[in-house]
Amino acid sequence: MASYPAHAVLMEALRDWRRHAAAVASVAVAFGVASSLGSSVAYYTAALVTFTIWMAWFVLTAVEVIRLADF
């Protein structure tokens, strides 16, 4: 376990740009499909998919912060 200050730990955890790009691309695809279908059910489904992607991103980032932090 590394001993970093809190700001450095957070910056290091947010450095993985591939995770951010995959999350943003997935959300864009979900809403792109929803807009092509054009129904309210499709938009609701895209919102649920977006929430799931956001939660996965959040948990992965939090795990990385905890891994780098020295408690």
Side-chain angles (χ1 to χ4, degrees):
M1 290 176 33
S3 179
Y4 294 121
H7 185 266
V9 167
L10 184 60
M11 295 309 295
E12 183 68 27
L14 292 175
R15 192 168 303 236
D16 186 13
W17 64 269
R18 280 174 256 141
R19 183 184 325 145
H20 309 313
V24 169
S26 300
V27 168
V29 166
F31 277 102
V33 169
S35 67
S36 70
L37 295 174
S39 70
S40 61
V41 173
Y43 281 110
Y44 182 75
T45 303
L48 287 176
V49 168
T50 299
F51 178 74
T52 303
I53 291 167
W54 175 74
M55 286 304 296
W57 174 87
F58 182 80
V59 167
L60 288 172
T61 304
V63 166
E64 186 70 14
V65 167
I66 290 170
R67 185 183 70 80
L68 293 171
D70 189 19
F71 293 111

